[in-house]
Amino acid sequence: MPAPSSSPTNAATPAAATAPTPGTGTGTGTGTDTGTSTGTDRRSPLAPVALVIAAGISVQFGAALAVLIMPRAGAAGVVTLRLAAAAIVLLLLCRPKVRGYSRSDWSTVVWFGVTMAAMNGLFYQAIDRIPLGPAVTLEVLGPLALSVVVSRRLVNVLWAGLALAGVVLLSTHGGGGFGGLDLLGAGFALGAGAMWAAYIVFSARTGRRFPQADGLALAMAVAAVLSLPLGVLEAGSDLLAPRTLALGVGVAVLSSVLPYTLELLALRRLPASTFAILMSLEPAIAASAGFLVLRQAMSALDALAIALVIAASMGAVRSQTRKKAA
């Protein structure tokens, strides 16, 4: 899942916010610290890259763990457990103030929470029906489409065509993995991608209006409240079963708290463009997690479809970066 980025400029880059990872949680509130600290910090150039990759691994293995507990709590129940646990942790850590903000500020953070709840809800409905790798591959198309629309450059249209080729492979391959893909599950994954694109936009706006991770913590609380009725309706008292609660907290730690912390550290020394490119590797990480944890096998065509979408995302980010540099 996506992880929001603190830099407002990331609203135009694909996969810059998974996640899914605090867009307002980088501790900067703007994109300034990210860019300036990276240029002078040469101590360990690979360290922030390793942190981002570790965050991606944590997110996708958290999603794999969520699939394992869905028979206990259902997709909506897992979403409720994840968002509620993450909200409690972030509220305790950030202790955000609630006074001194305008109606427009609150409107932004509420919409951020709405998109976060919708993105998570749709994504977990998707992975309840289709393998993790295909689900994340389809979801990544949302931020990629946002990048194409914002940039309005022909080269990004070409990158979008490359991603579309990957989706065609996904929909026409007749073997295991992508073959026989559940249409409803694929629809949920595409819907999650659309919400991811909206999530990036509201993450950037929230980062400009709220200090450090305060906006993220408040939005996460909104998302948890919105998801609670659906979780209770689907899982009922099963949500309070000790084992289910423990596993739900594990999903929250792996999918939210740990990656937020790792990316917070990484973005202080890593350019936002590099971060976005690394986020484009999410489908490959998700496919690996699906194989290792859930035994979801992949064929050569499956791997090719994922590779096409990854290449498209990375190419779109690089072309956007070159445009800004020029």
Side-chain angles (χ1 to χ4, degrees), residues 8-266:
T9 60
N10 282 357
T13 58
T18 86
T21 319
T24 52
T26 60
T28 62
T30 67
T32 306
D33 292 347
T34 299
T36 56
S37 62
T38 306
T40 57
D41 190 347
R42 302 178 182 272
R43 289 173 296 177
S44 301
L46 294 180
V49 174
L51 290 174
V52 174
I53 293 175
I57 292 173
S58 181
V59 167
Q60 299 307 331
F61 277 82
L65 177 60
V67 173
L68 293 178
I69 64 174
M70 281 180 185
R72 297 173 177 271
V78 173
V79 171
T80 296
L81 288 173
R82 173 188 169 175
L83 293 178
I88 291 171
V89 171
L90 286 172
L91 288 172
L92 290 175
L93 289 177
C94 300
R95 298 180 182 179
K97 65 176 184 178
V98 295
R99 296 182 179 179
Y101 296 113
S102 67
R103 180 178 297 180
S104 179
D105 294 336
W106 281 111
S107 176
T108 298
V109 84
V110 167
W111 279 112
F112 186 23
V114 170
T115 57
M116 189 185 301
M119 179 182 65
N120 280 275
L122 291 169
F123 178 74
Y124 278 86
Q125 290 292 338
I127 62 175
D128 193 30
R129 293 169 171 82
I130 63 176
L132 186 59
V136 176
T137 301
L138 287 171
E139 188 189 26
V140 151
L141 296 180
L144 179 60
L146 176 64
S147 175
V148 172
V149 170
V150 171
S151 68
R152 298 179 181 177
R153 300 183 68 202
L154 177 61
V155 67
N156 275 2
V157 175
L158 298 178
W159 290 125
L162 185 63
L164 181 61
V167 175
V168 169
L169 276 181
L170 181 151
S171 61
T172 60
H173 178 38
F178 284 143
L181 202 63
D182 181 88
L183 292 181
L184 183 58
F188 280 133
L190 290 172
M195 288 298 100
W196 190 354
Y199 171 91
I200 294 173
V201 173
F202 284 107
S203 173
R205 292 180 182 177
T206 302
R208 290 192 291 266
R209 293 171 179 268
F210 291 81
Q212 302 197 34
D214 287 11
L216 175 68
L218 293 169
M220 188 72 77
V222 171
V225 170
L226 291 175
S227 69
L228 184 61
L230 294 176
V232 171
L233 184 64
E234 180 169 356
S237 60
D238 290 341
L239 285 176
L240 301 177
R243 182 174 175 81
T244 303
L245 275 176
L247 291 172
V249 171
V251 171
V253 171
L254 286 174
S255 297
S256 299
V257 179
L258 182 58
Y260 292 174
T261 304
L262 293 175
E263 290 179 2
L264 165 64
L265 297 174

